[in-house]
Amino acid sequence: TWKDCSLGEVRSRDLLQVVRGSLRLHGCSFTGGADQIKLAYTVATIERADMRGASDDAVTVKGGKLDFSNGLVTATGGSALVLDELATVIVEQCNLASEKDALEVSEGATINVDGGRITSAKGAVLDVNALHARHGPSRVTITGVNLHAKESPKIGRGNEVSVNGEQTQAAKQP
């Protein structure tokens, strides 16, 4: 458990990586770094985080589980959240802003976003890769979220996606 911590790094190195562990962050701030938090097969809770200026992605979740609430992600060069390999993520009342696609989901990952705001300056709010043969479909539910992006959501075939109460259709991509 880390409380009211402050981490910073040059834009070419990651800030924090946790593999096969558990993590609880409350009131922490992150500045710079390539990826700010990388979680691999980890159970984590992030509350009231202030994450600014990642040169790549703010949070990457490979497998495992993340509960992320009341956080801010801004000035991120890549994506705010990246999920794969059956990761399960719950996001509540967060403000997620990125340059590229804000949320990237693949390989059977599941994400539920409730409340808050998601923005992308140059990409889409959501990029869900096509159904993965080994991991199955990805599942995305976004409810009560204010969405702003330059591009439309990118939804690969075979996934289950609902954005503010509307089931989205798969894009014309493999």
Side-chain angles (χ1 to χ4, degrees):
T1 298
W2 294 9
K3 187 173 181 180
D4 301 325
C5 60
S6 181
L7 297 164
E9 182 58 270
V10 296
R11 295 175 58 84
S12 60
R13 296 194 308 217
D14 296 337
L15 282 172
L16 178 63
Q17 295 183 29
V18 180
V19 179
R20 292 184 179 88
S22 62
L23 176 68
R24 183 174 181 87
L25 300 171
H26 181 83
C28 295
S29 65
F30 299 84
T31 305
D35 289 345
Q36 291 181 326
I37 299 176
K38 282 188 174 179
L39 304 170
Y41 315 104
T42 294
V43 175
T45 300
I46 301 173
E47 299 167 324
R48 300 191 186 284
D50 184 339
M51 306 176 76
R52 298 171 185 267
S55 63
D56 194 13
D57 304 321
V59 180
T60 301
V61 184
K62 180 179 285 296
K65 183 176 189 298
L66 169 64
D67 291 329
F68 187 22
S69 62
N70 300 302
L72 170 69
V73 175
T74 191
T76 298
S79 296
L81 284 171
V82 177
L83 294 65
D84 67 13
E85 286 197 22
L86 300 170
T88 300
V89 175
I90 297 171
V91 178
E92 295 179 331
Q93 299 301 322
C94 288
N95 184 346
L96 309 175
S98 67
E99 286 293 311
K100 296 183 180 175
D101 300 330
L103 304 177
E104 287 187 36
V105 183
S106 66
E107 298 180 357
T110 299
I111 184 168
N112 293 304
V113 183
D114 187 16
R117 179 180 173 98
I118 303 173
T119 61
S120 172
K122 298 178 183 174
V125 166
L126 180 63
D127 182 1
V128 183
N129 291 349
L131 171 74
H132 190 274
R134 181 174 56 188
H135 299 295
S138 294
R139 292 170 177 82
V140 177
T141 304
I142 297 174
T143 307
V145 178
N146 189 346
L147 306 171
H148 294 280
K150 186 172 184 172
E151 299 177 11
S152 298
K154 303 169 189 173
I155 312 299
R157 296 180 194 271
N159 297 297
E160 299 169 19
V161 178
S162 172
V163 177
N164 287 331
E166 295 183 24
Q167 297 289 358
T168 61
Q169 299 299 314
K172 295 179 182 175
Q173 59 184 349

